[in-house]
DNA sequence: CTAACTGCAAATCATTTGCACGATG
DNA sequence: CATCGTGCAAATGATTTGCAGTTAG
């Protein structure tokens, strides 16, 4: 279940009761909880845990590459501990629920019936991630990357 | 440029100066502005326009299917008026800038060199959208779809 | 004329941050 | 025992909402 704990310990991650609890909550295979849900569940095991600690911890797990962040449009991000097995997501536009799916080939061709979990699939979306030329030049002395995008004379 | 205006008018969309301005700002082909940027630009043409009006208007355009919402992780959503031509996005993890790209076949195979715009591409992400079985049963009398997902005995 | 749209400001929501205290290695 | 993690509460940033006034059709 939680090789996650093992892996983290191996990486010299300082183990505390709250971190352990967060890692346990994220233990399963097809879990996609929001930070708030993680906090709620963690609090069932360790009542005093603070929301901020959960956010911090989740952030670290993401930075370590042990957990993946999934943004479902305007809703709160969800955290996916299944980061070690490549897979795709099927997101419900109504409630934000996520299911892991496993596609191959052209995603725009549709999702195989047995991977739909009863969902009415309306479409697929492909997003490439990377660094633009200017951000790739290293963080630099802070040119203020925050508000820069899309402004100005619009080179697009 | 703005067949968008035409289309909207045709749909019986009540035309007001602020709505016109928002539609104009979204006129181009490769524009990906945040709500705040749309407001800033709109305000250059119509100083009194309120941020809330921009949000409302953008929301309606999205509902009408004339503009697509693009969420770039934790950052503010960006709005893409190019909703009528199917395409994918290349997002900069540094500053959130978006470029439209045009892939075919298996996205996990990588993005052709000439579509990278100088970006250092680190990966692709595929997300299917749809409605889960319970949300598909219609909005209903409001069973409270907001916080429901991911809670409970975890059917996953 | 009347329903629909605006503006403004206050309200939410998700997430982050500053700082003093406590626990780990 | 020094460092790193935690809790709390307040700060932020994005987006929404309530309500009275204005306007398109």
């Amino acid at each position: 279940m939680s090789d996650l704990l093992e892996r983290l310990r191996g990486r010299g991650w300082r183990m505390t009761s709250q971190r352990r609890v967060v890692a346990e909550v994220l233990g399963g295979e097809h879990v996609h909880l929001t930070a708030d849900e993680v906090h709620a569940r963690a609090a069932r095991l360790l009542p005093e845990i603070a929301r901020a600690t959960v956010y911090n911890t989740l952030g670290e797990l993401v930075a370590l590459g042990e957990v993946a962040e999934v943004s479902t449009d305007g809703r709160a991000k969800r955290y996916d501990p299944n980061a070690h097995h490549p897979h795709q997501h099927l997101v419900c536009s109504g409630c934000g629920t996520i299911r892991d799916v496993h596609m191959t080939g052209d995603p725009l061709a549709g999702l195989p019936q047995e991977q739909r979990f009863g969902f009415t699939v309306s479409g697929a979306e492909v997003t490439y991630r990377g660094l633009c030329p200017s951000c790739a030049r290293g963080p630099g002395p802070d040119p203020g990357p925050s508000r820069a995008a899309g402004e100005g004379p619009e080179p697009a």
Side-chain angles (χ1 to χ4, degrees), chain A:
Chain A
M1 184 119 347
S2 279
D3 346 67
L4 181 52
L5 269 304
E6 299 304 303
R7 225 158 13 202
L8 292 172
R9 207 184 289 279
R11 293 217 197 180
W13 204 49
R14 191 164 207 165
M15 191 53 65
T16 67
S17 42
Q18 22 282 97
R19 286 177 167 201
R20 190 193 325 285
V21 170
V22 169
E24 273 168 20
V25 167
L26 292 174
E29 278 288 299
H30 295 292
V31 182
H32 303 95
L33 303 169
T34 62
D36 228 49
E37 286 162 359
V38 171
H39 173 247
R41 295 184 177 207
R44 292 216 278 267
L45 304 173
L46 187 68
E48 336 78 78
I49 195 170
R51 186 178 276 99
T53 298
V54 171
Y55 273 102
N56 288 337
T57 305
L58 287 173
E60 286 178 62
L61 289 174
V62 170
L64 287 172
E66 293 292 348
V67 167
E69 229 175 45
V70 188
S71 32
T72 61
D73 116 274
R75 232 174 290 276
K77 290 177 206 143
R78 287 176 182 279
Y79 294 84
D80 183 351
N82 201 15
H84 287 286
H85 301 282
H87 62 277
Q88 292 71 49
H89 291 126
L90 171 55
V91 181
C92 175
S93 313
C95 62
T97 301
I98 298 179
R99 308 292 314 224
D100 285 347
V101 293
H102 210 82
M103 74 91 199
T104 41
D106 187 343
L108 304 180
L111 190 62
Q113 197 59 50
E114 78 279 9
Q115 297 251 14
R116 299 195 178 186
F117 300 96
F119 277 54
T120 304
V121 181
S122 56
E125 192 180 287
V126 179
T127 305
Y128 293 89
R129 303 274 171 196
L131 287 177
C132 70
S134 61
C135 288
R137 283 195 257 292
D142 191 322
S146 32
R147 182 50 57 92
E151 267 302 343
E154 194 58 11

